[in-house]
Amino acid sequence: MSEKLLVLDDIRMNFGAIAALKGISFSIGKGEVVALLGDNGAGKSTLVKIISGGLRPTSGQMVFEGADYQAKTPAEAKAAGIETVYQDLSLCTNVDVVGNFFMGREITRKVAGIPFLDERAMEEITTKALTSAGTRIPSMRTKVEHLSGGQRQAIELNRFAHWGGKLLLLDEPFAALGVEQTRRGLDMIRHVANQGIGVVIITHIMQQAFQVADRIVVIRHGVVAGDVDRAKTSPDAVIEMITGQALTGAGPVGKE
Amino acid sequence: MTPHTRKSLEFLLDNLVWFMLIVVLALFSALIPNYFQIGIFTNIIEASSVLGVMSIGLALVIITGHMDLSVESVAALSAMAVGILFCSAGIGLGIKLSPEWLMIPASLLVACAIGGLIGLFNGFLVVKLKMSAFIITLASFIWVRGIVLAVSGGRSAQDLDPAIRWFAIERFAGIPLSAWIAIGCFLIFSIMMAKTPFGRHLIMIGGNETAAYRAGIRVTRNLIIAFVMAGAIAGLAGWLLAVRTSGATANLGVGLLFNAFAAVVIGGVSLKGGVGALPGVYAGVLLLSSINTAINLMGLPANYTQVIHGFLVLAAVLLDTFKQRLRQRLA
Ligand SMILES: Nc1ncnc2c1ncn2[C@@H]1O[C@H](COP(=O)(O)OP(=O)(O)OP(=O)(O)O)[C@@H](O)[C@H]1O
Ligand SMILES: [Mg+2]
């Protein structure tokens, strides 16, 4: 794809004696959707957390929009324009839907210099965002603890759509979603990418990857085991990269 | 269960303490002679001002998922500082400022600053160094009381300057100004918790700290501010204590912690964090105060009060567990 948005260069991550990532290098272009595939424990979530400021890599460089990038906290990553939907959901179940949708970015109105929550404005936007995504939630004022897994995931997934940003990281965002909600989610990813936002989506469902991605990157045992254009590969080829019997011509295979 | 019954059950759970307060007041009024008088009710409000203010600070920290056991000793130290500076008898230095009213902000500042500093100390150790809030604030509970004993030498300060004492004497609508201060604090902090981003963030941190952190909320900073607030509010409670008793003794306020703890938990604040609101805590404080008044009226020996309070704390924690279970079933 055209311009590089994020370039990962030789990212390594050790947890004590465990080497979770052993030198990951690939890049994401503006408006490009990259599907990140790999078996359980391959290191996908670890990589996402490194990009989104949750973990600091043991070594390696990142370049975001042409400049050196290293987020020390999720807040810094957000400020840079990187939005993340985590595999283990990040909602406060003791707070209602609206509160969660606007977590950390509440709309306020100042009265005598003191910021007060503008509940009505926030509720309106949340309702609009969730309705257009086809999620049915009885009331925007329900506490999240009373919602189903799919409804919770929908809140997370739609949060970023409202906030935009430049790069979107999705760690198995559809795991709890129904058929229709997943279809809308995939549409939304395309829509977001068409606006020039880069997307990394982690999934175990091959069909989803082929449906939405421009490029497919496979991680196995902490190294990039394949990095191919979707148009130039097939589900069977990708499965073989994931399981370790790389076919010739399937793309560059990790060193090691 | 229909959504409607669930809604009403939840409403009941959320406001349980208010119902309890109404029931208890009705029962006492019916059963105890002389209970039902306006004077008694203003008395209840008046007697709950110190406990009320202290409970606010404790509730703030518990809602964030932490604990502050030091509030009682902090209040005692602040009261002692105010007593030593502005009392004229005993160990009081009898400092005078002119104009006289200057002593009010000066004494308030001293009380809240002492509390805020101890809160900062607690908060720093708990949040930055990730030590257990229970242990750190238990230690503060002990060493701060130790300082009170040390600086007072076990003696007391009496005769607080009338300019400050004025708050305990002057009344508005039949209620002393010191009690209005408590009511005002409940109003301000209730609004802060329910209507401002800062309050919302404290509740979110109590519910899911990781999620709040990932959402870009400055968890560390907000938590430390909560500890500082709890300390400063405890300082204010100490100031009220000095004003009400017109001085300070070395064992001033002993036992308040457990009352505050009971009020907070009875008031609907869950010990697991993230659940509870300040109006409920005020109801909890009033409930305790009503029970105390009833004990006094019935002429039970004061020693029994302690037994009853002990059981109240126990009942409060049981109630919390019970409510959590019930909520899980509702969910
Ligand atoms: N905080 C941690 N401490 C120690 N080891 C960890 C930690 N986080 C991850 N690991 C290890 O790193 C490796 C990669 O984990 P990761 O969660 O990135 O896998 P994944 O590719 O996301 O798997 P899945 O598909 O199951 O989500 C695993 O072996 C895991 O045990
Ligand atoms: Mg994972």
Side-chain angles (χ1 to χ4, degrees):
Chain A
M1 276 254 159
S2 54
E3 246 175 295
K4 295 270 178 273
L5 181 61
L6 176 70
V7 181
L8 304 176
D9 183 18
D10 199 28
I11 303 286
R12 291 165 190 272
M13 183 76 212
N14 300 336
F15 294 108
I18 303 168
L21 299 178
K22 305 172 202 162
I24 299 278
S25 307
F26 69 93
S27 63
I28 301 138
K30 284 186 179 156
E32 187 182 33
V33 179
V34 173
L36 196 56
L37 298 164
D39 259 336
N40 293 132
K44 307 179 296 294
S45 297
T46 305
L47 187 62
V48 162
K49 283 178 195 154
I50 287 172
I51 301 172
S52 63
L55 285 175
R56 261 206 265 176
T58 313
S59 70
Q61 268 79 50
M62 290 185 270
V63 177
F64 186 64
E65 293 195 299
D68 267 350
Y69 165 83
Q70 168 69 74
K72 286 197 267 318
T73 63
E76 281 184 28
K78 267 194 194 327
I82 297 180
E83 291 288 325
T84 311
V85 173
Y86 294 87
Q87 184 171 12
D88 50 332
L89 294 182
S90 302
L91 296 172
C92 291
T93 53
N94 59 328
V95 175
D96 65 16
V97 179
V98 177
N100 272 285
F101 198 87
F102 280 89
M103 188 178 350
R105 289 191 266 218
E106 291 79 5
I107 302 180
T108 57
R109 249 180 335 173
K110 292 217 164 161
V111 180
I114 301 165
F116 285 96
L117 297 168
D118 189 343
E119 295 284 1
R120 194 160 348 131
M122 290 194 281
E123 181 166 346
E124 232 166 73
I125 292 168
T126 312
T127 311
K128 216 181 277 170
L130 290 179
T131 319
S132 71
T135 310
R136 248 177 256 111
I137 292 177
S139 157
M140 293 300 143
R141 292 296 170 192
T142 327
K143 285 190 181 165
V144 169
E145 61 192 352
H146 299 311
L147 298 182
S148 75
Q151 289 169 325
R152 294 180 192 198
Q153 208 153 37
I155 298 172
E156 282 243 27
L157 192 56
N158 287 293
R159 255 200 304 210
F160 77 85
H162 176 72
W163 299 111
K166 293 166 184 165
L167 174 64
L168 173 62
L169 308 171
L170 303 167
D171 197 346
E172 302 192 27
F174 305 137
L177 289 194
V179 178
E180 173 61 14
Q181 283 78 9
T182 303
R183 195 185 61 75
R184 293 209 198 201
L186 289 169
D187 283 352
M188 188 171 60
I189 290 177
R190 279 289 16 144
H191 177 72
V192 163
N194 288 340
Q195 297 169 343
I197 296 171
V199 180
V200 175
I201 172 170
I202 295 178
T203 175
H204 287 291
I205 299 169
M206 202 58 60
Q207 193 197 347
Q208 281 174 7
F210 274 83
Q211 216 172 323
V212 75
D214 299 306
R215 221 153 44 110
I216 290 175
V217 174
V218 175
I219 295 188
R220 184 161 52 87
H221 299 324
V223 296
V224 176
D227 182 345
V228 287
D229 270 358
R230 180 202 49 187
K232 295 191 187 123
T233 189
S234 68
D236 285 338
V238 172
I239 287 173
E240 293 191 33
M241 287 183 239
I242 293 172
T243 54
Q245 302 136 9
L247 294 179
T248 44
V253 175
K255 311 157 203 124
E256 259 225 340
Chain B
M1 198 183 310
T2 68
H4 188 74
T5 46
R6 194 175 91 177
K7 266 238 167 71
S8 21
L9 248 171
E10 255 179 57
F11 180 77
L12 187 77
L13 280 184
D14 284 341
N15 298 289
L16 191 60
V17 56
W18 289 103
F19 296 111
M20 281 162 52
L21 180 62
I22 292 169
V23 169
V24 164
L25 284 179
L27 267 179
F28 286 167
S29 298
L31 300 179
I32 303 172
N34 300 329
Y35 196 89
F36 190 80
Q37 310 164 29
I38 295 296
I40 289 268
F41 294 117
T42 55
N43 230 334
I44 290 173
I45 292 174
E46 184 180 348
S48 58
S49 52
V50 173
L51 180 63
V53 170
M54 185 182 286
S55 303
I56 294 174
L58 184 60
L60 285 186
V61 174
I62 294 184
I63 287 174
T64 67
H66 288 269
M67 177 53 74
D68 189 349
L69 300 175
S70 71
V71 286
E72 173 192 307
S73 301
V74 169
L77 183 59
S78 292
M80 186 52 80
V82 171
I84 290 178
L85 290 176
F86 299 105
C87 279
S88 53
I91 52 170
L93 300 174
I95 293 175
K96 294 256 176 218
L97 300 176
S98 64
E100 275 199 331
W101 61 264
L102 256 184
M103 281 186 266
I104 297 167
S107 59
L108 272 171
L109 193 72
V110 167
C112 292
I114 289 175
L117 279 176
I118 298 171
L120 183 66
F121 175 82
N122 288 337
F124 183 82
L125 291 183
V126 171
V127 182
K128 279 269 189 206
L129 304 186
K130 308 222 180 298
M131 297 163 94
S132 148
F134 185 85
I135 301 297
I136 295 300
T137 60
L138 178 66
S140 295
F141 172 72
I142 297 165
W143 69 256
V144 173
R145 177 64 74 178
I147 292 185
V148 176
L149 292 169
V151 295
S152 66
R155 296 183 304 143
S156 61
Q158 300 115 28
D159 289 342
L160 188 64
D161 196 281
I164 306 176
R165 182 87 178 107
W166 181 75
F167 278 91
I169 296 159
E170 201 62 37
R171 284 172 184 261
F172 175 74
I175 297 169
L177 293 184
S178 54
W180 282 111
I181 290 181
I183 294 172
C185 283
F186 267 105
L187 266 175
I188 291 169
F189 284 99
S190 295
I191 292 171
M192 182 192 87
M193 288 307 282
K195 304 277 181 218
T196 71
F198 176 71
R200 173 66 54 85
H201 292 169
L202 290 187
I203 295 171
M204 286 174 158
I205 292 169
N208 187 343
E209 197 173 314
T210 314
Y213 175 68
R214 285 172 172 177
I217 293 172
R218 289 154 81 182
V219 173
T220 317
R221 189 192 72 139
N222 286 354
L223 278 177
I224 291 182
I225 293 177
F227 272 98
V228 171
M229 276 186 168
I233 295 168
L236 178 62
W239 183 85
L240 285 173
L241 206 51
V243 169
R244 274 176 53 93
T245 57
S246 185
T249 58
N251 61 359
L252 193 62
V254 166
L256 264 179
L257 172 64
F258 294 100
N259 285 330
F261 188 81
V264 166
V265 177
I266 293 172
V269 174
S270 170
L271 292 176
K272 77 174 170 47
V275 179
L278 291 177
V281 173
Y282 192 51
V285 170
L286 291 179
L287 183 63
L288 280 188
S289 196
S290 324
I291 295 174
N292 284 348
T293 310
I295 293 173
N296 285 343
L297 271 183
M298 290 191 292
L300 282 180
N303 299 341
Y304 284 106
T305 322
Q306 179 141 6
V307 176
I308 291 173
H309 282 173
F311 278 106
L312 272 175
V313 173
L314 202 62
V317 177
L318 280 175
L319 188 72
D320 180 38
T321 320
F322 173 71
K323 282 207 290 190
Q324 276 181 38
R325 291 246 177 87
L326 211 63
R327 268 183 216 282
Q328 259 166 20
R329 277 224 234 125
L330 286 181

